[in-house]
Structure formats: C-alpha cells, structure tokens
C-alpha cells in the first residue's frame, strides 16, 4: 500500500512482548530512496532513549489501531547499539546495527535491499545477545570521522526543501509517499501554492529527480512550471491507486517503476 510517511508519526511500536514507544521520524537513504529505519521514542522504560527500527523487523501496520507490529522483544531493543539520532549515522554504525540483529547490509548489492528483494531475516532469541558495550565487535568510529559514509536522511528535515524546475521553482516538499510492502519511497508530495496561488498538490516520482543539493536544501528536476500546472492533481482524500499512477507516468512520458 502507498502511504504518506508522515502518517506513521505517532504510531505505537508493538513488540512481541510489550510496547516499545512511538514513531517520531523516518530515515531514508539518499542513494536508492529506501526507508531504512523508523526512529522510535521509547519513553520512560528506556530512559527516553530513541532507537532505530528496521523494516526488516516489521510484521505489519495496523492503521485502525495506529500500531506498527515488529518481531522484536524489549530486551533485544534495550541491548541494541546505542545510536545517537541527533547526529549523522555512518555506514559503520549501520553495519554494527545490522550485525547485532542479523540483518543483511542493504547497501551491498544492486537492488533496493541489497542482493535481492525485501527479505525477512531470523532474529536472535531474546536475551542471547549481550549489551553493545560488552561485545567485541562494537564499532567506536562515529559518523563525524567518516562523513563520506553518511547516506541517511531524515524525512522531517527534508520536508520543506524547494523543488527547482528548468525555468523556476515549482514548489516545496510537503511529504513522501512510500510503499509499505518493500518500503521504497516512490514519490515526493509537492505543494505548488507558494508560487501558484490557489494551485494544487502534485506527485514527483523519486526516479525523476536529477539531483539534490543538500547544502542549499533544493531538489532539481527537469520539469517546467507549465508541465506541473497541467499534471494530474493529487487528491489526498482519495486512495493512491495504480490507475492514478499510470496516468501520472503517461502524462510525463516516463517509464513506470512497476514495469
């Protein structure tokens, strides 16, 4: 199902034995546009520490109960690597995280999730993995030491980035549309009303993006304002189905990601 990533904010994370906390942000990688982690605020049970939850462990999303179910226990999460979510997260720290849980490294391979499709990995049994500071494989190197290894971006931070077309600015990022089956970000939700009074909201596929200037907070696309004006409008009150996606791709003459 396609959904706005902001819809997950505040959802409870339900482990196999108890609740872990609630979603406060979503991290994606800037190379393949995959959602890599939910940032979860644990509350008082873990000294209000924020932890990362990988889609590898997600069993399902219950929108009625506003809950994300994961195949983890509280002990596993409590003993997981302590990653400071206020600082950039390096590939070295991600590797430590993946090694702890027994996940594959999604960046090792040509596909969205590495060497193949979105897999489910067996997780260590509760209580069998020692705390991170007692493990000999703990990685001390921080992101600041290897800035070139940082590829995670916060959806919260990128919201508001300007969209630059070939002739002028065409809007700003309001949200992200992701697929909660393989956890790929498919579209940017763009609000055009900062330059077009009474304008509309449109979707831009992530594979249409030419480049992103992280310093200037700008997304560059090879589209004009006139193209945006005539593009299919995105109605947030209607389901985002394949019919709309097909019309959108045909309008721009672009190849569909599902072909």
């Amino acid at each position: 199902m396609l959904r706005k990533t902001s819809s997950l904010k505040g959802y409870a994370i339900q482990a196999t034995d108890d609740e872990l906390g609630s979603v406060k942000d979503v991290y994606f990688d800037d190379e393949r546009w995959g959602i890599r982690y939910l940032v979860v605020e644990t509350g008082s049970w873990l000294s209000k520490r924020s932890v990362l939850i990988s889609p590898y462990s997600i069993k399902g999303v219950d929108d009625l109960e506003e809950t994300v179910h994961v195949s983890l226990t509280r002990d596993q999460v409590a003993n997981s690597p302590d990653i400071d979510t206020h600082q950039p997260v390096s590939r070295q720290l991600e590797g430590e995280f993946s090694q702890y849980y027994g996940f594959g490294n999604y960046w090792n391979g040509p596909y969205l999730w590495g060497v193949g499709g979105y897999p489910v990995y067996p997780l260590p049994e509760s209580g069998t993995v020692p705390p991170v500071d007692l493990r000999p494989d703990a990685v001390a190197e921080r992101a600041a030491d290897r800035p070139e290894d940082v590829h995670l971006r916060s959806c919260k931070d990128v919201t508001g980035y300007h969209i630059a077309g070939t002739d002028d600015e065409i809007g700003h990022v309001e949200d992200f549309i992701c697929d909660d089956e393989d956890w790929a970000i498919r579209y940017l939700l763009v609000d055009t009303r900062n330059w077009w009074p009474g304008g509309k909201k449109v979707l831009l596929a992530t594979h249409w993006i030419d480049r992103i200037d992280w310093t200037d907070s700008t997304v560059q696309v090879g589209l004009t304002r006139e193209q945006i004006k005539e593009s299919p409008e995105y109605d947030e009150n209607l389901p985002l189905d394949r019919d709309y996606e097909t019309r959108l791709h045909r309008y721009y003459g672009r190849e569909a990601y599902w072909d």
Side-chain angles (χ1 to χ4, degrees):
M1 185 180 92
L2 294 175
R3 64 165 66 243
K4 294 192 294 184
T5 58
S6 65
S7 70
L8 295 170
K9 186 176 181 180
Y11 273 31
I13 302 294
Q14 180 62 50
T16 58
D17 54 356
D18 209 336
E19 188 174 310
L20 299 177
S22 60
V23 180
K24 72 171 185 178
D25 199 0
V26 174
Y27 283 174
F28 68 92
D29 80 86
D30 61 12
E31 296 180 309
R32 296 175 186 165
W33 290 93
I35 289 181
R36 302 309 181 187
Y37 306 102
L38 304 182
V39 182
V40 176
E41 197 167 54
T42 59
S44 59
W45 79 271
L46 198 56
S47 302
K48 297 186 177 179
R49 169 184 159 198
S50 293
V51 297
L52 300 182
I53 298 295
S54 167
Y56 281 135
S57 64
I58 294 177
K59 297 192 296 183
V61 180
D62 186 333
D63 289 305
L64 185 61
E65 298 293 333
E66 297 188 350
T67 300
V68 179
H69 294 271
V70 298
S71 55
L72 303 173
T73 66
R74 270 196 170 188
D75 281 348
Q76 286 175 306
V77 174
N79 290 331
S80 66
D82 190 359
I83 296 177
D84 185 356
T85 58
H86 295 96
Q87 300 294 328
V89 180
S90 69
R91 278 283 156 82
Q92 285 76 20
L93 293 176
E94 286 193 89
E96 180 187 353
F97 179 92
S98 296
Q99 185 177 25
Y100 170 79
Y101 281 114
F103 300 148
N105 292 333
Y106 64 81
W107 56 91
N108 288 338
Y111 304 109
L112 179 64
W113 288 97
V115 296
Y118 175 58
V120 177
Y121 282 90
L123 299 173
E125 295 181 2
S126 175
T128 62
V129 181
V132 63
D133 57 349
L134 299 180
R135 295 199 310 275
D137 61 327
V139 179
E141 184 176 13
R142 305 302 296 180
D145 300 324
R146 295 287 298 277
E148 70 276 10
D149 285 341
V150 177
H151 294 281
L152 293 181
R153 306 291 173 177
S154 157
C155 284
K156 181 176 66 175
D157 291 346
V158 178
T159 298
Y161 271 34
H162 299 288
I163 310 291
T166 56
D167 54 355
D168 211 331
E169 182 180 334
I170 59 178
H172 65 271
V173 178
E174 180 175 293
D175 212 327
F176 303 82
I177 306 294
C178 73
D179 186 333
D180 63 10
E181 291 187 5
D182 61 5
W183 296 96
I185 294 182
R186 300 298 184 190
Y187 303 98
L188 302 185
L189 171 56
V190 178
D191 190 340
T192 67
R193 289 173 293 184
N194 56 318
W195 63 271
W196 182 15
K200 61 188 179 183
K201 295 180 180 181
V202 298
L203 297 186
L204 295 178
T206 51
H207 58 281
W208 302 345
I209 294 172
D210 293 333
R211 64 182 178 85
I212 299 180
D213 190 326
W214 303 108
T215 303
D216 292 340
S217 303
T218 301
V219 179
Q220 183 71 51
V221 295
L223 301 172
T224 66
R225 280 189 168 183
E226 192 62 31
Q227 285 178 296
I228 295 297
K229 281 186 174 183
E230 299 299 323
S231 67
E233 182 173 8
Y234 172 63
D235 187 342
E236 296 179 90
N237 297 314
L238 297 177
L240 179 50
D241 56 21
R242 188 51 53 84
D243 178 66
Y244 172 85
E245 289 189 276
T246 300
R247 289 189 292 111
L248 183 69
H249 282 74
R250 285 178 178 172
Y251 170 77
Y252 286 112
R254 303 295 183 103
E255 184 178 349
Y257 66 84
W258 59 87
D259 289 340

